[in-house]
Structure formats: structure tokens, C-alpha cells
Amino acid sequence: MSTDPLSLTFAALADPTRRAILARLSQGESSVKELAEPFAMSLPAVSKHLKVLERAGLITRGREAQWRPCRLDPGPLQDVSQWLEHYSRFWDQSLGRLDAVLREIGTRPPDEPGA
């Protein structure tokens, strides 16, 4: 598996459980036990998901006495957003050209060739 940051982020985001964990953490920090509650899986299984998210830099885990809170780190998501922005502009331009062609076709008189 590739270890470049963008690949690690996409690999982490590929799993719906990890995306759900990130959605939960976007509301504030949580313990592993709290994050595991909505899932029908063991705490060790949730911990494995958290390790993938942590390796991708999407979460951080702290230590406050007995509590080990997990926190969202939005940095890698910003990197993904910037990477996708290039393609968003590409599709906006492509669809804009298609729209112009369709408008041109739609404004031709019925007897005009190509209409």
C-alpha cells in the first residue's frame, strides 16, 4: 500500500465505518467506548479502525488521566478538498461547454441542417 498522505487518507475514507467515526468526531471528541456504541463490533475492532484513521492523520488520540479522547484532525481532509478542487473546475468547465452546445442546438430553427 502506498504511504503518501493522500493515498492514506483515501484508503481510510474508503470504509463506511471509518467515515461514520469521522462524522461523529466532527461533533467533538469522544472515547473509544463512545465511538463503538453505534456499531455491532467489538472494542478491538473499533480500535483497528481508529489506528487506520490515526495513521492517515485524520484523528489524534490524547491521554487525560484514564480517558483517551479521540479528536478529528481536519488537515488531511483539507488536502483531499484541494486535490478535488482541480477536478471540480475541470467538470464545471466541461459541463459549461456542454451546456453552451445544448443551448445552441436548442435555439436552431427546425429547418436548419443539424437541428
Side-chain angles (χ1 to χ4, degrees):
M1 178 164 78
S2 181
T3 58
D4 73 277
L6 200 55
S7 294
L8 289 173
T9 302
F10 278 121
L13 294 174
D15 185 274
T17 299
R18 291 192 287 268
R19 291 192 305 270
I21 290 170
L22 290 176
R24 168 60 186 89
L25 290 174
S26 72
Q27 299 169 9
E29 63 186 30
S30 292
S31 68
V32 175
K33 185 177 178 184
E34 292 169 334
L35 291 170
E37 287 173 0
F39 305 107
M41 64 177 67
S42 67
L43 285 176
V46 171
S47 289
K48 286 182 181 182
H49 283 292
L50 294 175
K51 285 178 185 174
V52 172
L53 292 169
E54 193 171 24
R55 189 173 38 244
L58 291 163
I59 67 165
T60 58
R61 292 202 254 188
R63 173 164 255 150
E64 297 173 17
Q66 297 296 328
W67 193 50
R68 296 211 48 205
C70 297
R71 295 177 188 92
L72 177 68
D73 184 345
L77 294 175
Q78 291 170 336
D79 295 340
V80 168
S81 179
Q82 290 172 353
W83 185 83
L84 289 172
E85 181 61 31
H86 167 76
Y87 296 97
S88 177
R89 285 191 302 272
F90 167 78
W91 283 110
D92 286 345
Q93 292 169 356
S94 296
L95 292 174
R97 288 190 301 269
L98 177 61
D99 185 52
V101 169
L102 293 174
R103 287 178 193 269
E104 181 182 325
I105 291 171
T107 59
R108 290 184 184 160
D111 58 341
E112 187 176 326

